[in-house]
Amino acid sequence: MSLADLPRTIEWIGELDGFVRMIDQTKLPESLEFIDCRDVSTMWHAIKRLSVRGAPAIGIAAAMGAVLAVRDETVSADGLLVKLEDACRYLASSRPTAVNLTWALERMKRVAHAPARENAKAICIRLLNAAKQIRDEDEAACRAIGKYGLPLINDGARILTHCNAGSLATAYYGTALAPIYAAHELGRRVTVFADETRPLLQGARLTAWELQSAGVDVRVLCDGAAASLMQRRQVDLVITGADRIAANGDTANKIGTYGLALLAKAHGIPFYVAAPSSTFDLAIPDGSAIPIEQRDPGEVGIGFGRSTVPEGVPCLNPAFDVTPGNLIAGIVTEIAVVTPVNRETIAKQLNPLQFSR
Amino acid sequence: MSLADLPRTIEWIGELDGFVRMIDQTKLPESLEFIDCRDVSTMWHAIKRLSVRGAPAIGIAAAMGAVLAVRDETVSADGLLVKLEDACRYLASSRPTAVNLTWALERMKRVAHAPARENAKAICIRLLNAAKQIRDEDEAACRAIGKYGLPLINDGARILTHCNAGSLATAYYGTALAPIYAAHELGRRVTVFADETRPLLQGARLTAWELQSAGVDVRVLCDGAAASLMQRRQVDLVITGADRIAANGDTANKIGTYGLALLAKAHGIPFYVAAPSSTFDLAIPDGSAIPIEQRDPGEVGIGFGRSTVPEGVPCLNPAFDVTPGNLIAGIVTEIAVVTPVNRETIAKQLNPLQFSR
C-alpha cells in the first residue's frame, strides 16, 4: 500500500441528494470503516465524538454538514438562510478550539448570501459546490505545505510528531506529515517518532496507521518518553499541526504540544508547526483568548471500558494547550513558512485571504 | 478509610515455613487482591510483571525471595551459600534499573556469611530476620523522609507527582508521597496532581488509589497535560521517587520524569526527588552508567487486550529515564535533604551506611 491508496478522509458522494462519507477514525487501527452522514445531527455527533477530527478535516465536515442541514429546504431562500444560520451555530458548538470549523461555516454563510437573489435549490447547489471547494482547496493547501516544508526534511531525518496532523486530519496528505510525505516521495529516508498522544491515542492509532500505509518508517512512543529520546540525540526536529493560531503566533494544538516545544527548546531542536492559513485567527492578539475544550474525564479515566482511575477521583482532560509563538521556529503554511521575522508581512497576505474566502 | 487502614505492600506471614503476602498491584484500582509467594520463582515473576514494583518495595521483595529460595536447604551451610548466590543472581535479573534490588541482595549475602559458622537452619533464620529488618527499616526510612520533606509542603500546596512513589512502592508510607502524608496528618491542605504515567498507569491506578484511600485530594491528568498545568501556575512543586541515583545526583526514575524536570525548570518550579539512601549507587559517577530497562513493546501497543498501535509498527518502551542532578533542587532521604551544595558531605555519610548494612 502506498499513500495513493489511502482512502480520502471525507468526501461528498453523489449529487445534492447524496451524503458525506468519512473514515470512522474511532475504529482505527483495528478496522477501516466508514461512517455515512445524511443529516446534520449525525455529522454533529461524528465531530463531537471524533469520528472525524483534525482542524482542517472538521472544517470540511462542518461545511458539508451545513449542506445536509439545508438541502431539503425548498420553500424560500429566506427560510434557507435562517435554517443555515441555525445549522452553523449548532455545528460550531461541536468543538470550540479549532478555528477552521468556524472559518468554514462563516465562509458557507457568505456563499449563501452572495451574489443575487436565487431560489433555495440554487443556493443549496452553490453551498454544496462551496463545501466541495473547501475540501479541494484543503488538499491543495496540504500539498503546498508539503512543498514549503520539504527543505526541513533532509535525507535521514528523524522527526518527532504529536497527535495526528496527517492525511486523516485533513482532506488528504496532511499538514505536519505533508513535508514528510513529500520527502518520502523523493526517496529521502525519514524516521518518524509518533507520540501516542493520550488520552485518545491519535498518534498511536492514526499517525502510525497512515505512515505505515504510506511506507514511511514510524515508531510509537509514550508521550513521556519524548524527552529521553531528545536527550539521546535521536530527534532532529519536531513538527506538529495546529488548531488555532493567534496573530502573534501563539498556537493551540493537542494537549502535550506545549510541553514538547519546551523540551525541544531545552535540547536545541527546532520546533515547527504546519497548518493551512485557515488556522490563523488574526482577530485574537495572542493565545490567551483561545478557548480550550475540556473533554469528558472518562477519556482519561476509562480505557477500553475498564477503569484506570479509582472511582471518585477527578480527572483533568483539557484537549489542547497553547504554545507561545516564540517557541516556534516556523509555521509552515500553503503560502510560506511563517517565522517570527516575516510574520507581520505574511499576516498582511493572510488577512485578505481569510476574509475574501 | 485513612492511611492507617492501607494494607501493607509486602509482608512475611508466619515463621520460616511461612510465605510472602503482597498487594497485587496489577489489579488496582479495580480490586484489592493479594498475591502469596511461597517459592522464589513466583517472586521473580511477581517482580518482573510488576505485581510488586517501586524501587524500595522490590528490594524488600527480593530479600524475602532469597529466603524463599534457600529455606528448605537443610544439608549444609556451604550448600545454602551456593544456593543463595544462585538465587540472588536470579532475582537480580528480574529488573535491572532499581539499585535497591541488588543492594538488598548484597546485604542478604553478607548476612549469610557472617559472623561464624552455623548450620543451614540457623543461617535461614538469620536471613529471614534480615529480610524483615530491611522491610522495617524501609518503613522507618519512609517516615523519616516524610519528616525531612515536610517543610516543602506548605498549607495549600499543589504538588505534581509522576508514577507511584507512595506506600505501594515501599514497605509503607512512601517516598515522594511521604512528605505529603506527613503534611496531611498535620492538617495541611494539599492537592496532588498525579500524572497517569503511561504505559502502565501507575499514577492513575496506584497513586490516585492510595491518596484517595488516605483522604488526600488527588486529581489525575495525562502525562502530556503537565506542562499546561504548570503554564497556568497551578503547580507549586514537583516531587518524584527514584530507582537509582548516581554519585553526582543524576537520577533514574520512571520514564517521563526527566521531561517533567525540564518543564519544572522552564516554569521556575522546584523539582524534588525523594528516596531512601539505599537508592544511591555511589559506585557510578553519573547517570550514563545506569542500565535502562527496556520493557515489552506490548505495554505501549496493547491496552487491555486491544491494539492501539497498528500491527507491525514498532513501539519504544524504555521504562526509565535519567534526570541530570543539576535539575534537582533536592533529594529527600531519611538522613537529610541532599542538595548540590551538601552532596559531598552527605555522600560521606551514605558511603559507610551503604557498605555497613
Side-chain angles (χ1 to χ4, degrees):
Chain A
M1 194 170 174
S2 79
L3 181 63
D5 301 316
L6 266 191
R8 264 47 183 176
T9 306
I10 176 167
E11 285 191 298
W12 185 281
I13 307 287
E15 302 304 318
L16 188 56
D17 61 350
F19 60 92
V20 184
R21 172 160 289 171
M22 308 189 294
I23 298 176
D24 184 348
Q25 302 191 30
T26 64
K27 300 288 171 49
L28 288 170
E30 291 195 294
S31 64
L32 174 59
E33 297 178 29
F34 294 86
I35 182 168
D36 292 343
C37 295
R38 294 167 196 278
D39 59 73
V40 65
S41 160
T42 307
M43 180 59 85
W44 187 92
H45 284 97
I47 297 172
K48 182 77 181 175
R49 64 187 290 273
L50 312 189
S51 290
V52 60
R53 30 63 55 202
I58 64 176
I60 302 161
M64 292 185 176
V67 178
L68 294 174
V70 301
R71 66 173 169 184
D72 295 330
E73 176 59 50
T74 50
V75 183
S76 74
D78 286 346
L80 182 143
L81 293 177
V82 170
K83 219 167 175 174
L84 180 65
E85 196 67 44
D86 288 349
C88 288
R89 204 175 304 116
Y90 172 57
L91 285 161
S93 74
S94 60
R95 300 200 65 199
T97 302
V99 77
N100 318 59
L101 196 152
T102 44
W103 167 86
L105 293 170
E106 288 304 314
R107 181 165 157 179
M108 293 296 278
K109 286 194 274 185
R110 284 199 302 278
V111 164
H113 281 93
R117 255 192 115 61
E118 290 169 308
N119 64 27
K121 177 75 183 285
I123 298 176
C124 282
I125 290 170
R126 212 141 36 73
L127 285 171
L128 175 58
N129 288 336
K132 288 178 173 174
Q133 195 185 342
I134 289 175
R135 192 224 152 273
D136 293 346
E137 283 176 13
D138 187 61
E139 180 171 341
C142 288
R143 293 199 182 266
I145 287 170
K147 191 184 76 177
Y148 283 109
L150 183 59
L152 303 176
I153 318 288
N154 297 322
D155 187 47
R158 300 161 304 173
I159 304 138
L160 180 72
T161 189
H162 191 69
C163 195
N164 173 267
S167 193
L168 289 165
T170 61
Y172 190 65
Y173 211 69
T175 52
L177 300 193
I180 292 166
Y181 287 133
H184 180 70
E185 285 161 12
L186 291 178
R188 294 184 198 167
R189 292 159 302 166
V190 290
T191 294
V192 179
F193 294 108
D195 271 359
E196 63 169 3
T197 317
R198 281 281 292 160
L200 294 176
L201 304 169
Q202 291 93 338
R205 297 190 301 107
L206 309 179
T207 297
W209 181 80
E210 65 168 273
L211 287 171
Q212 181 190 43
S213 301
V216 177
D217 180 30
V218 57
R219 294 119 198 250
V220 171
L221 64 155
C222 293
D223 305 332
S228 165
L229 205 66
M230 292 180 184
Q231 188 183 39
R232 286 179 279 120
R233 310 207 167 284
Q234 293 183 36
V235 177
D236 299 311
L237 82 157
V238 180
I239 185 163
T240 75
D243 288 80
R244 192 185 299 215
I245 304 172
N248 72 340
D250 288 358
T251 295
N253 192 49
K254 178 60 55 200
I255 189 76
T257 303
Y258 166 55
L260 266 192
L262 285 174
L263 297 178
K265 185 187 176 191
H267 294 92
I269 298 167
F271 177 87
Y272 285 90
V273 164
S277 58
S278 56
T279 311
F280 282 81
D281 184 353
L282 300 177
I284 56 172
D286 62 54
S288 65
I290 301 176
I292 299 297
E293 178 182 6
Q294 303 291 326
R295 291 184 60 87
D296 181 357
E299 292 180 350
V300 175
I302 300 168
F304 304 108
R306 274 186 60 180
S307 288
T308 57
V309 173
E311 208 185 313
V313 171
C315 294
L316 314 180
N317 192 15
F320 302 94
D321 58 25
V322 175
T323 301
N326 60 22
L327 292 176
I328 302 169
I331 302 173
V332 187
T333 74
E334 77 276 26
I335 301 161
V337 179
V338 184
T339 67
V341 173
N342 68 10
R343 189 184 297 138
E344 298 287 314
T345 323
I346 306 281
K348 291 197 186 83
Q349 295 177 53
L350 291 179
N351 229 329
L353 262 179
Q354 286 211 300
F355 296 101
S356 70
R357 275 185 175 177
Chain B
M1 193 169 173
S2 79
L3 181 64
D5 303 315
L6 266 191
R8 264 47 183 176
T9 306
I10 176 167
E11 285 190 300
W12 185 281
I13 307 286
E15 303 304 318
L16 188 57
D17 61 350
F19 59 92
V20 184
R21 172 160 287 171
M22 308 189 293
I23 297 176
D24 185 349
Q25 302 192 29
T26 64
K27 301 288 170 50
L28 289 171
E30 291 195 295
S31 64
L32 174 59
E33 297 178 28
F34 294 86
I35 182 168
D36 292 342
C37 295
R38 294 168 196 277
D39 59 73
V40 65
S41 160
T42 307
M43 181 58 86
W44 187 92
H45 284 97
I47 297 172
K48 182 75 180 175
R49 64 188 289 273
L50 313 190
S51 290
V52 61
R53 28 67 51 204
I58 65 177
I60 302 162
M64 292 185 176
V67 179
L68 295 174
V70 300
R71 65 173 169 184
D72 295 329
E73 177 59 49
T74 50
V75 183
S76 74
D78 286 346
L80 182 142
L81 293 177
V82 170
K83 218 167 176 175
L84 181 66
E85 196 67 45
D86 288 349
C88 288
R89 203 175 305 115
Y90 173 57
L91 285 161
S93 73
S94 59
R95 300 200 66 198
T97 301
V99 78
N100 317 60
L101 197 151
T102 44
W103 167 85
L105 294 170
E106 288 304 314
R107 181 165 158 180
M108 293 297 278
K109 285 194 275 183
R110 283 198 303 277
V111 165
H113 280 93
R117 257 194 113 61
E118 293 169 307
N119 65 27
K121 177 77 182 285
I123 298 176
C124 282
I125 290 170
R126 212 143 34 74
L127 285 171
L128 175 58
N129 288 337
K132 288 178 174 175
Q133 195 185 341
I134 289 175
R135 192 224 151 275
D136 293 345
E137 283 176 13
D138 187 61
E139 180 171 341
C142 288
R143 293 199 183 265
I145 287 170
K147 191 184 76 177
Y148 282 109
L150 183 59
L152 303 175
I153 318 290
N154 297 321
D155 186 48
R158 300 161 304 173
I159 303 138
L160 181 72
T161 188
H162 190 70
C163 196
N164 173 266
S167 193
L168 290 164
T170 61
Y172 189 64
Y173 210 70
T175 52
L177 300 193
I180 293 166
Y181 287 133
H184 179 70
E185 285 161 13
L186 292 179
R188 295 184 198 165
R189 290 159 304 168
V190 290
T191 293
V192 179
F193 294 108
D195 272 358
E196 63 169 4
T197 317
R198 281 282 292 159
L200 294 176
L201 304 170
Q202 291 92 338
R205 297 190 301 105
L206 308 179
T207 298
W209 181 80
E210 64 167 272
L211 286 172
Q212 182 191 42
S213 301
V216 178
D217 179 30
V218 57
R219 295 117 197 252
V220 171
L221 63 155
C222 292
D223 304 333
S228 165
L229 204 65
M230 292 180 184
Q231 189 183 38
R232 286 179 279 119
R233 310 208 167 283
Q234 293 183 36
V235 178
D236 299 312
L237 82 156
V238 180
I239 185 163
T240 74
D243 288 80
R244 191 184 299 215
I245 304 172
N248 72 341
D250 289 357
T251 295
N253 191 49
K254 178 61 54 199
I255 190 75
T257 304
Y258 165 55
L260 266 193
L262 285 174
L263 297 178
K265 185 187 175 192
H267 293 92
I269 297 167
F271 177 88
Y272 285 91
V273 164
S277 58
S278 56
T279 312
F280 282 80
D281 184 354
L282 300 177
I284 57 172
D286 62 55
S288 64
I290 301 177
I292 299 297
E293 178 182 7
Q294 304 290 326
R295 291 185 60 86
D296 180 357
E299 292 180 349
V300 175
I302 299 168
F304 303 109
R306 275 186 59 179
S307 288
T308 58
V309 172
E311 207 185 314
V313 171
C315 295
L316 314 181
N317 192 15
F320 302 94
D321 58 25
V322 176
T323 301
N326 60 22
L327 292 176
I328 302 169
I331 302 173
V332 187
T333 74
E334 77 277 27
I335 302 161
V337 179
V338 184
T339 66
V341 174
N342 68 9
R343 189 183 297 138
E344 297 287 313
T345 323
I346 305 282
K348 290 196 188 84
Q349 296 177 51
L350 290 179
N351 230 328
L353 262 179
Q354 285 211 304
F355 295 102
S356 68
R357 276 185 173 176

